[in-house]
Amino acid sequence: MSLVLDPAAQDLLFREARTANTFSDEPVTEEQVAAIYDLVKYGPTAFNQSPLRITLVRSEEARERLVGLMAEGNQAKTRTAPLVAILSADNEFHHELPALLPHFPQAKDVFFAERPVREQAALVNATLQAGYFIVGVRAAGLAAGPMTGFDFAAVQKEFLDDDHTPLMVVNIGKPGEDAWFPRSPRLAQDEVITTV
């Protein structure tokens, strides 16, 4: 292998990491969430934009509202996960660009003055950041269960606003009993990589 990362870390982050479908009762602390974010905030994005927003669903009342908006197959695991996060894209991310891109503060107006352009950029870059977030959850020794089986419009109305587009709901915690479905196949390198 020509990877620099230790094989145990490779397994933790990728090879052995799985989407958990059941969780233990062990809570996910604010300190763990802070450590995850402190790690993943450095992942690269276009123009250093940071459109990802994370809504932590901790109260029982909010959890039940969210469970009712999940697809039937996602309800039980969303109800029992120690922590649930709604990941969304902030379509007004451009207001932060002067601080995030101090060498080119005018990028805010030059490239992102139009709402449709911002929505596309926010979708791409927040989704990229969501991938970093999932790997960060794994780096904390937790399992991440990302899901797109939910009522997007209802989640936006119930938990967000018109400037935030929901991307996914992620269950987070230590895996419980029978947490894993069998590993599904992946495409081979020659099915994915083309050299020109």
Side-chain angles (χ1 to χ4, degrees), residues 5-164:
L5 197 62
D6 175 87
Q10 294 172 34
D11 288 343
L12 176 71
L13 299 178
F14 297 101
R15 289 194 195 94
E16 299 299 324
R18 307 285 294 281
T19 295
N21 292 289
T22 66
F23 296 90
S24 76
D25 293 334
E26 186 176 329
V28 177
T29 67
E30 290 298 330
E31 292 77 16
Q32 287 172 302
V33 172
I36 291 164
Y37 182 72
D38 194 52
L39 177 66
V40 305
K41 70 183 178 185
Y42 294 109
T45 59
F47 291 94
N48 200 37
Q49 57 189 275
S50 297
L52 180 68
R53 298 295 177 266
I54 303 165
T55 303
L56 300 179
V57 182
R58 287 204 180 268
S59 75
E60 287 303 316
E61 179 268 333
R63 179 77 62 105
E64 282 309 309
R65 289 187 347 229
L66 179 60
V67 166
L69 303 176
M70 301 300 294
E72 186 176 345
N74 292 331
Q75 290 181 352
K77 55 190 170 183
T78 302
R79 181 175 283 116
T80 59
L83 181 61
V84 181
I86 300 168
L87 305 189
S88 63
D90 181 356
N91 297 307
E92 296 298 310
F93 69 88
H94 66 305
H95 293 298
E96 299 154 349
L97 284 181
L100 295 174
L101 202 65
H103 64 280
F104 186 28
Q106 60 272 35
K108 168 185 177 281
D109 299 312
V110 172
F111 294 106
F112 302 107
E114 305 283 333
R115 175 72 180 229
V117 173
R118 289 197 305 274
E119 288 177 351
Q120 179 63 29
L123 176 64
V124 170
N125 288 281
T127 301
L128 181 61
Q129 289 183 290
Y132 301 143
F133 180 77
I134 291 165
V135 173
V137 168
R138 293 171 173 180
L142 302 169
M147 302 169 291
T148 56
F150 60 91
D151 184 332
F152 279 70
V155 165
Q156 181 180 31
K157 182 178 179 183
E158 190 71 28
F159 293 95
L160 306 170
D161 59 34
D162 290 342
D163 288 331
H164 294 80

